[in-house]
Amino acid sequence: ATRSDFSSLWSIETAAVFVLFVCVPRVWFLNFFKGTLKFTDKHEWVRVEGSIGTVGISNYAQEALGDVVYCGLPEVGQKLEQMEEFGALESVKAASELYSPLTGEVSEINTELAENPGLVNKDCYGEGWLIKMSIEKPEELDGLMDQSAYDKFVKSLED
Amino acid sequence: MSRPVLEVVRLGLVSYSEAMRVQRFYVDRVKSRPSSAWTLLLCEHSPVYTIGIRTSQYPDRDLDLLRTKGAEVHKTNRGGLITFHGPGQLVCYPILHLGLLKKGIRWYVGQLERTVVDVCGQFGLRANTSPLTGVWIRDHKVCAIGIHCSRYVTSHGLALNCDVDLSWFSHIAPCGLDKGVTSLSREMQRRICVEESVHPLLHSFSRNFNCDLHDAAPPHLHRDPGPCPGHISGHS
């Protein structure tokens, strides 16, 4: 084998190594972190993990609200219809209703928010989650916006 | 969108429950048809204490004690804590669609505060705002604000002390705060009644919200016959 053969082999392997160990994990990591986020036009998001959906409000929503001082959340076990009002967030003496993105049953509520409602502002996609719920009608997810559609929707509101 | 139009509906002196019924009518109208006219409800209430969604701070026995003072007590779906409404206080409930305005709740509350600061300015009074929602003259609250927003439609609103008997506030910590209250009359050292405050409020509202205001009659809502069937037409 000539030197040039080795060189070209080396560059192919390097490229392969780069793709396998750098690009793929990075893409995987980003997808995992964002999860399969779907959005409603009322600025709630739902992240599907197996048969459970975690629900919260988007960054656009938390900015428009201001500092959240109180989270009025439903009881565990409460059944929700898609678009049904399930609670309210209070900020600047204003109580803003929350709408269920899906039909299902509340399986968990974020009890951290009782002591620390500001988590909704600080980390709206992470620790500021509101409720978890079962997903009774998975087909409802198809009607929700994915990240890029939601980004476009928010842009249209700001114009 | 072109300049929004708000219908000004004057209810006069009404019970809190009655005002909520009328408000619900207008809120439902805007929710079902966002392009329908928005509304500015103006009224005074018979004595009532109201609390917002943070109800755990007010156990029932405390609320029962307030009832012994001669006022009604109502739990509401607005933000904010406990406050008092009574004769001599101008209460204003703007019902509009924030989505069509492309604005959020924080902007809306700020605009209401600015509107009331302007009203005080028209009387030669210097009012201010703070991180605590409401309008203050020095550190005494002259106007309380508490809002509800559902599907972008606003309800509840503001309560401006004109010549209300401020001793009603001594039975509560207004809005949960250990601060005093005041009124336009107390600050001006002369009686300023609700009627005198209406035009300044409408003028400020129209300017701050960049909208047109037209007078409109209250709705004819079906109700059980009561002692004053004409009460709802709102002649004070």
Side-chain angles (χ1 to χ4, degrees), chain B residues 13-17 44-49 70-72 84-87 231:
Chain B
L13 180 63
V14 288
S15 69
Y16 189 75
S17 308
E44 285 174 80
H45 290 314
S46 29
V48 61
Y49 292 98
E72 290 182 23
F84 172 79
H85 301 305
H231 191 51

Side-chain angles (χ1 to χ4, degrees), chain A residues 107-123:
Chain A
S107 58
E108 206 180 327
I109 64 171
N110 187 351
T111 51
E112 284 297 316
L113 297 179
E115 290 299 309
N116 203 349
L119 283 173
V120 175
N121 300 107
K122 227 166 47 174
D123 191 11

